[in-house]
Amino acid sequence: MTQAQEPQAKLTLDDLERFLDLPAEDDGLLPFCDAAAVLAGFDPLELRAVGDDTKMPEDLLAQLRPLCEVTADPEASSRWSLLLYERRKALMRLGTRERMIEALAANPAREQSALQRGFERLLQPGPYALESLSRDELASLHTVLEWLAGILDGLPAPGAIDKALHRHDLLAPMRRLTAAGFVGRDEELARLEQFVAGPPPGAPLFVHGPGGVGKSTLLAQFILDQVETQDLLIAYLDVDRPTIRPELPQTFLLDALGQLQSQLEVPKLYFESTAKELEYELRRYEGQRSFESVNVAGAGAEVFGDRLTEWAKGRTVLIVVDTFEEVQFFGPDVTESFLSFAFELQKRAPNARVLLSGRTLPNEYIARVAGQLLHQPRESPDDPLPLDRIPEAKRPITLDVLDDESARRLLANSIAASGMAALPERDLDDIVRVVSRNPMCLKLAARLLRDEGVDALAKDRAALLTKLRAEKIQALLYGRILLHLHADDVRKVAYPGLVVRRIDAAVVEQVLAEPCGLEFKDGLTPASIVSDLAQEAALVEVDPIDGSLRHRPDVRRAMLEDLTDHVEASVVETIDKNAVKHYAKQDTDDVIARAEEIYHRLRLRQAWRTISPRWTDQAGSRLKGALDELAAEQRLWLAERLGVTLDARARQSADQSAWEAQVERSANRYLKGQAPLDALKVLQERSARLPRSALFGIESDVYRFLSEPDRALAVARRGVESATADGAIDMALELLLRMVVIDEGRGSLAAAEATLKEARAVAVHSSSRLLRFRVAVTALRLHRQLHPKAREERAVLRRDARAMLDNEMLRRLRERPVLLREAAAELAKDEPRLAAAAIEILGIEVASDSQAESFGRAIAHAAAEKKLPQGQTLDDALQAVKESNFDPRAVRQVATEVLTGRDTRKLGSELSKIEAGHVVLRGFRDYFRAGVADSLSIDPSKRRSR
């Protein structure tokens, strides 16, 4: 027998223990291992073995140590815990719940950690009330299941524990909001219950009210009530989350998918498939060519709504969008676009209930539920709308101050929570009457009572109540709290320290010390001042990113505008200048420092040539909350860089360049939200245009959207003439190509060819390879349609286009999804890399029947040539597609439910390996052509629009 033929020896446990330098198992050690196996952790010096007659080995600790891991307990000596392998061996020896419970009795003084409680809980017969456990207890069950898997039966499934964990995380913020008790709001709760339990509504419901009135608390209480009493599915979407972008509604749906997955009994694959479609929809949008991208706009709401109806199986799904003012922050165009999405979602998913909540009721919402109210005469534009005229099913919920009884109860609860003795009813009534029935004001009043002392109310009732009375009650209450800060230096930092948005020791020392009159002596340091200020939770909060202190937003809103009434302007200016100097010398990569530097430069109204070089988009993300704190000109500058659209009144004061930048963004957003009339209204605020104005192209798109191609062509032609006269070759070329597409879309191919000839002449002088490539691709597409038999001429055009398709061009096409699809429609047969890139970036798009059928035939070819991911499910689905003669509905099922994101990436990889000219590439070329044809020929008048 040769060496290669010798049988391999089996590795025994003894061999493994010798290899790991572990002692072989000693029978005398087993009772101690059995005792340790039922303990999450133990003190090795106090471990008692299972069995009263067990003799302790002389070298117990030496034998036990290699079988354990050591964890340090800061409050005691080190504790040991059996390694998982040893624990499972011991638990298998014990074998039953009864014997494990007996083993526990050996160490009655065991620690009661969450892990230990979880283990002992599973030793009791089920079922297990997972919903009643804390998060730590739920998390510990995962570890305990790993100990007991395959040893005991009747254990909860890991999926059930995950579901309970997700539920706990979802409801935890709501429980925090209502922890201090909930009072009143019976009428509002009844309206919400009617909205959820009643027939499918025709529109989302809007809850609105000023800051501090308790909107989030109301929603939290309602959700908790419904979860306890109804089989309700919840998706709570806070617009403040970094994963959500208000201008991209698909990001809301992706967030909702993540929350609903743990609540629905649906295979994970279905959620992944839907997420894949939403992500691809985001990729397909191209801002520079929004019109050709818009054929997929709104598809997210349709796809999500249809799937949600199927998955919920009759259960109601509550989708809450909170902090809606963050949507409105970006401007009326984003608000309109988002509401279009929300109404479409409510329409597509009759079992869903879309609930919106924000400080201000948008006119765009009123226009949808009762547009006539906006046109009815009112004595003053500031007078409230008569919302009571809206039918109750669609009437927004206006959250106002509490009723008298509820206000009294909330004040009493807040006083009790502050550790004070209860006040008589008369005193409670007087305070409520003075500070108003606003919940936040009532809580602040309780804080002030604590600082002043309840005795002060009895001694000088009139004086104290006068302190509570003011026009701006919230600002006054904060001011009174400031006055009662225990340290004088802390008070100086808090006010006028409001000028700075963040406070740390360095800011106190280098920015605030001199203008605030601070002296560091007798042990007082910048760090000690910051430490004292951090205790004032009513005024400041800790920034989780860098640990600095930030004034609470409601403090700044209430008090910053009044700052100059109490602090000399020179002091404020000195603080701003000190801040600029302090932050400007920080590391250039420090995003926080850069943001604060820009903020204070804007407050000082420095020249744009000074501020602009300091700008970075990363710093800008931290300046969003500063917009309302700046003067008009500085606000406009910042809004432009934040992507915020200001209202028409704010735009009036802008110069032509700033106005056009604002209008360009606004009109584009309206177009994306399929509201061309709103886009046109914004464009018509001024008739003048800069020579290189982007508004020529946008206005042309608007008229095209409104099915007025002649006006669209006329506007584009004016833009060509303006750009040419100013030497803007690339802009002129872009507009000429837009004109080609307009004529092509309405079937005027000869006119399109004539304009293309002009574009090709201009392209010779263009510095943009991307535009020249687009001209080449457009020429190929038109030639194919106009001269189908002129193959030799087309071969020359194809060769010229392929010559431009190098690696750099492919990289740039990945950022231009519309052009990528157009290029694949003409060149994919001969360029496998291009076909692969189009699939990887665009995904599978089957928005029309022609696209669906073409894709079905393409994947049938790919499957026949073994170029498609293999799998019985996919094979069966493709067979059904073939038997249906490529029925679009059958193809859509494959594209949206069978093919996963992994499959799509795999398909792209396979296409890149196929030789040029292959039948499979021809099939995918035809599929891309169907998509381009649909995009160009779709009737704009049939798009959803207002």
Side-chain angles (χ1 to χ4, degrees):
M1 181 178 292
T2 64
Q3 183 176 3
Q5 295 172 322
E6 291 177 2
Q8 294 182 347
K10 292 183 178 180
L11 187 66
T12 66
L13 180 60
D14 288 340
D15 293 331
L16 182 60
E17 288 175 336
R18 283 194 295 274
F19 177 75
L20 296 174
D21 198 24
L22 299 177
E25 202 166 66
D26 188 324
D27 288 347
L29 190 62
L30 295 184
F32 290 92
C33 288
D34 291 350
V38 296
L39 301 177
F42 59 90
D43 185 333
L45 299 177
E46 297 180 1
L47 181 67
R48 298 294 177 262
V50 175
D52 295 334
D53 56 350
T54 300
K55 181 180 179 182
M56 180 181 294
E58 293 182 1
D59 56 349
L60 172 64
L61 297 187
Q63 291 189 56
L64 197 58
R65 175 63 187 87
L67 311 182
C68 298
E69 57 185 349
V70 179
T71 56
D73 186 336
E75 297 181 1
S77 59
S78 294
R79 302 184 69 78
W80 291 10
S81 176
L82 268 187
L83 295 168
L84 177 61
Y85 173 70
E86 296 296 336
R87 186 187 296 277
R88 284 187 55 79
K89 277 203 307 181
L91 291 174
M92 281 189 278
R93 280 195 304 272
L94 293 171
T96 67
R97 283 183 168 85
E98 290 74 20
R99 292 194 63 192
M100 293 179 192
I101 291 173
E102 291 174 3
L104 282 170
N107 291 277
R110 56 190 174 273
E111 66 173 5
Q112 285 300 309
S113 63
L115 201 57
Q116 185 67 38
R117 291 195 304 273
F119 176 76
E120 295 182 22
R121 182 176 286 107
L122 295 190
L123 294 187
Q124 305 302 318
Y128 305 100
L130 299 178
E131 294 79 8
S132 65
L133 302 182
S134 70
R135 197 187 195 289
D136 286 345
E137 290 171 329
L138 286 168
S140 72
L141 289 185
H142 271 298
T143 302
V144 174
L145 283 179
E146 194 175 9
W147 298 352
L148 295 170
I151 301 174
L152 299 182
D153 56 10
L155 298 174
I161 297 174
D162 286 337
K163 186 175 181 179
L165 269 170
H166 284 294
R167 176 189 173 94
H168 186 281
D169 290 343
L170 176 65
L171 299 180
M174 301 162 201
R175 290 187 173 121
R176 284 196 295 271
L177 279 170
T178 58
F182 184 83
V183 298
R185 306 301 193 194
D186 295 335
E187 182 178 340
E188 290 85 356
L189 288 171
R191 280 285 316 280
L192 289 171
E193 185 172 357
Q194 181 184 11
F195 173 70
V196 169
L205 180 63
F206 207 111
V207 178
H208 68 104
V213 81
K215 297 181 297 296
S216 295
T217 306
L218 170 69
L219 295 177
Q221 184 64 41
F222 174 70
I223 290 171
L224 291 174
D225 288 345
Q226 292 293 307
V227 165
E228 295 296 330
T229 60
Q230 307 291 334
D231 189 18
L232 190 67
L233 302 167
I234 303 287
Y236 186 87
L237 310 175
D238 191 334
V239 188
D240 242 350
R241 290 178 185 166
T243 54
I244 288 179
R245 294 179 59 185
E247 73 276 21
L248 298 175
Q250 296 92 336
T251 59
F252 286 81
L253 298 182
L254 287 168
D255 203 317
L257 270 180
Q259 295 186 35
L260 291 171
Q261 182 174 344
S262 64
Q263 303 174 57
L264 288 164
E265 302 297 333
V266 175
K268 185 178 180 182
L269 175 65
Y270 291 178
F271 285 96
E272 292 177 347
S273 174
T274 304
K276 172 200 70 176
E277 290 185 63
L278 294 172
E279 288 164 355
Y280 280 128
E281 183 180 326
L282 283 169
R283 290 189 196 178
R284 292 178 194 137
Y285 181 77
E286 182 179 338
Q288 293 179 332
R289 301 183 66 185
S290 60
F291 192 91
E292 286 95 335
S293 302
V294 84
N295 65 323
V296 296
E302 296 174 6
V303 169
F304 185 86
D306 292 346
R307 303 278 169 81
L308 196 59
T309 301
E310 177 186 347
W311 295 340
K313 298 177 181 178
R315 298 171 68 187
T316 301
V317 184
L318 178 61
I319 300 175
V320 179
V321 179
D322 201 2
T323 330
F324 196 82
E325 57 267 21
E326 291 295 321
V327 176
Q328 294 170 272
F329 169 83
F330 283 91
D333 39 41
V334 173
T335 303
E336 173 60 42
S337 178
F338 183 85
L339 287 174
S340 177
F341 150 78
F343 275 73
E344 181 66 20
L345 177 59
Q346 183 66 83
K347 172 185 170 184
R348 298 293 301 199
N351 63 314
R353 300 294 184 270
V354 180
L355 186 60
L356 311 175
S357 174
R359 293 184 176 184
T360 307
L361 185 64
N363 283 340
E364 294 83 0
Y365 177 85
I366 294 296
R368 289 176 175 272
V369 297
Q372 70 277 7
L373 287 183
L374 294 176
H375 306 294
Q376 292 181 1
R378 287 177 285 165
E379 292 185 7
S380 167
D382 297 325
D383 288 346
L385 291 166
L387 300 180
D388 56 348
R389 298 182 189 176
I390 301 175
E392 186 171 313
K394 295 183 178 181
R395 186 186 308 157
I397 295 178
T398 304
L399 204 61
D400 206 342
V401 295
L402 294 168
D403 60 77
D404 289 330
E405 176 57 29
S406 298
R408 190 185 303 113
R409 285 167 51 201
L410 178 60
L411 179 60
N413 292 345
S414 301
I415 288 172
S418 297
M420 294 181 286
L423 292 181
E425 291 287 325
R426 172 174 172 262
D427 293 343
L428 293 174
D429 288 341
D430 284 345
I431 295 171
V432 168
R433 187 180 67 255
V434 171
V435 304
S436 85
R437 302 192 303 275
N438 179 288
M440 180 177 287
C441 290
L442 291 167
K443 294 174 183 177
L444 291 171
R447 162 69 191 268
L448 179 56
L449 286 169
R450 187 194 71 185
D451 290 340
E452 292 276 2
V454 177
D455 292 343
L457 184 63
K459 292 179 180 177
D460 194 347
R461 179 187 204 83
L464 181 57
L465 292 179
T466 299
K467 289 179 181 179
L468 290 172
R469 184 181 292 114
E471 255 181 68
K472 296 184 177 179
I473 184 65
Q474 198 167 306
L476 173 73
L477 291 171
Y478 275 123
R480 296 304 304 165
I481 292 171
L482 283 168
L483 290 177
H484 286 84
L485 293 181
H486 299 296
D488 182 63
D489 293 299
V490 173
R491 183 167 62 250
K492 291 177 181 177
V493 169
Y495 190 97
L498 277 168
V499 175
V500 298
R501 302 195 312 158
R502 61 182 298 278
I503 297 174
D504 59 18
V507 169
V508 169
E509 182 176 12
Q510 299 180 33
V511 178
L512 299 176
E514 184 256 325
C516 292
L518 300 177
E519 295 183 10
F520 302 119
K521 57 183 181 181
D522 299 329
L524 184 69
T525 66
S528 66
I529 290 176
V530 172
S531 178
D532 288 343
L533 183 60
Q535 308 304 312
E536 302 298 332
L539 300 173
V540 297
E541 54 194 11
V542 177
D543 189 325
I545 295 178
D546 66 351
S548 67
L549 300 181
R550 286 183 170 269
H551 290 90
R552 287 180 46 161
D554 40 15
V555 176
R556 291 184 68 83
R557 279 192 299 269
M559 301 189 68
L560 191 57
E561 63 185 51
D562 296 329
L563 186 68
T564 52
D565 292 341
H566 303 91
V567 179
E568 292 183 9
S570 59
V571 172
V572 174
E573 183 179 3
T574 299
I575 293 175
D576 282 320
K577 288 181 176 179
N578 286 353
V580 169
K581 183 179 179 181
H582 170 67
Y583 287 116
K585 64 185 179 184
Q586 307 296 324
D587 191 321
T588 56
D589 294 329
D590 188 333
V591 173
I592 295 173
R594 186 64 65 85
E596 300 309 309
E597 176 195 345
I598 293 170
Y599 170 73
H600 288 283
R601 288 187 187 277
L602 288 170
R603 282 182 51 85
L604 289 167
R605 306 188 187 189
Q606 292 185 350
W608 304 134
R609 63 178 180 274
T610 301
I611 302 177
S612 294
R614 308 301 294 167
W615 177 267
T616 67
D617 290 339
Q618 293 81 3
S621 66
R622 295 184 63 89
L623 287 168
K624 192 170 70 169
L627 201 60
D628 291 334
E629 300 176 8
L630 301 171
E633 188 178 356
Q634 284 68 32
R635 185 171 175 239
L636 189 66
W637 184 91
L638 182 57
E640 180 58 33
R641 280 148 185 79
L642 292 177
V644 172
T645 305
L646 300 178
D647 57 29
R649 184 183 303 175
R651 291 195 295 266
Q652 286 177 0
S653 61
D655 63 23
Q656 186 68 17
S657 177
W659 177 85
E660 287 197 3
Q662 282 277 302
V663 169
E664 176 184 356
R665 177 180 297 107
S666 182
N668 265 327
R669 285 171 171 171
Y670 278 129
L671 271 182
K672 186 180 180 183
Q674 302 179 60
L677 292 176
D678 289 325
L680 187 60
K681 181 179 178 181
V682 172
L683 287 162
Q684 292 176 340
E685 288 177 3
R686 296 182 187 179
S687 59
R689 297 289 184 266
L690 294 173
R692 300 177 181 233
S693 175
L695 301 188
F696 288 115
I698 297 172
E699 189 173 354
S700 177
D701 274 352
V702 168
Y703 284 122
R704 183 184 169 201
F705 205 126
L706 294 171
S707 297
E708 297 186 43
D710 290 334
R711 297 186 73 174
L713 288 169
V715 170
R717 175 57 68 183
R718 288 202 308 273
V720 170
E721 294 170 356
S722 176
T724 303
D726 203 55
I729 300 299
D730 288 352
M731 177 183 164
L733 181 55
E734 175 76 43
L735 287 167
L736 286 167
L737 288 170
R738 196 181 239 103
M739 293 170 67
V740 171
V741 167
I742 293 170
D743 272 329
E744 189 179 0
R746 66 174 175 172
S748 301
L749 297 183
E753 187 177 42
T755 306
L756 178 63
K757 183 178 180 180
E758 184 181 352
R760 295 179 73 176
V762 173
V764 174
H765 305 286
S766 173
S767 60
S768 170
R769 289 187 70 228
L770 201 67
L771 276 175
R772 295 200 304 273
F773 181 72
R774 184 177 164 194
V775 169
V777 169
T778 305
L780 264 172
R781 185 173 69 248
L782 275 178
H783 190 277
R784 171 171 52 80
Q785 297 175 82
L786 281 167
H787 314 290
K789 296 181 179 180
R791 298 182 183 277
E792 292 184 6
E793 291 181 16
R794 196 152 58 252
V796 174
L797 292 174
R798 185 177 295 108
R799 183 193 62 207
D800 292 343
R802 291 181 63 191
M804 301 175 68
L805 194 61
D806 55 16
N807 289 335
E808 173 62 18
M809 182 62 71
L810 271 172
R811 184 192 67 77
R812 297 187 68 182
L813 287 176
R814 288 175 175 270
E815 301 168 358
R816 298 288 190 275
V818 178
L819 181 54
L820 174 61
R821 183 173 60 178
E822 291 175 344
E826 304 306 323
L827 303 173
K829 179 174 72 72
D830 301 310
E831 291 288 349
R833 297 175 303 161
L834 185 59
I839 288 293
E840 291 168 2
I841 297 300
L842 304 174
I844 308 304
E845 184 183 4
V846 285
S848 69
D849 286 353
S850 58
Q851 270 187 305
E853 182 179 349
S854 298
F855 177 70
R857 295 183 185 279
I859 56 172
H861 284 310
E865 297 290 328
K866 307 296 183 185
K867 303 300 183 182
L868 201 64
Q870 301 297 301
Q872 191 61 48
T873 301
L874 182 56
D875 292 343
D876 292 345
L878 286 177
Q879 184 60 37
V881 165
K882 292 176 186 177
E883 292 174 357
S884 73
N885 194 27
F886 303 99
D887 180 85
R889 289 173 296 180
V891 176
R892 283 193 180 91
Q893 184 174 8
V894 174
T896 59
E897 297 180 15
V898 179
L899 282 175
T900 65
R902 189 181 301 107
D903 291 336
T904 305
R905 291 190 294 273
K906 173 74 171 171
L907 174 60
S909 176
E910 290 295 331
L911 290 178
S912 69
K913 302 172 186 175
I914 298 177
E915 63 275 14
H918 197 285
V919 64
V920 171
L921 292 177
R922 188 180 298 119
F924 278 95
R925 177 204 64 187
D926 293 343
Y927 155 66
F928 292 125
R929 282 183 179 175
V932 172
D934 289 338
S935 175
L936 292 173
S937 63
I938 189 169
D939 183 358
S941 65
K942 294 180 180 179
R943 300 177 191 269
R944 292 190 307 273
S945 61
R946 286 179 56 235

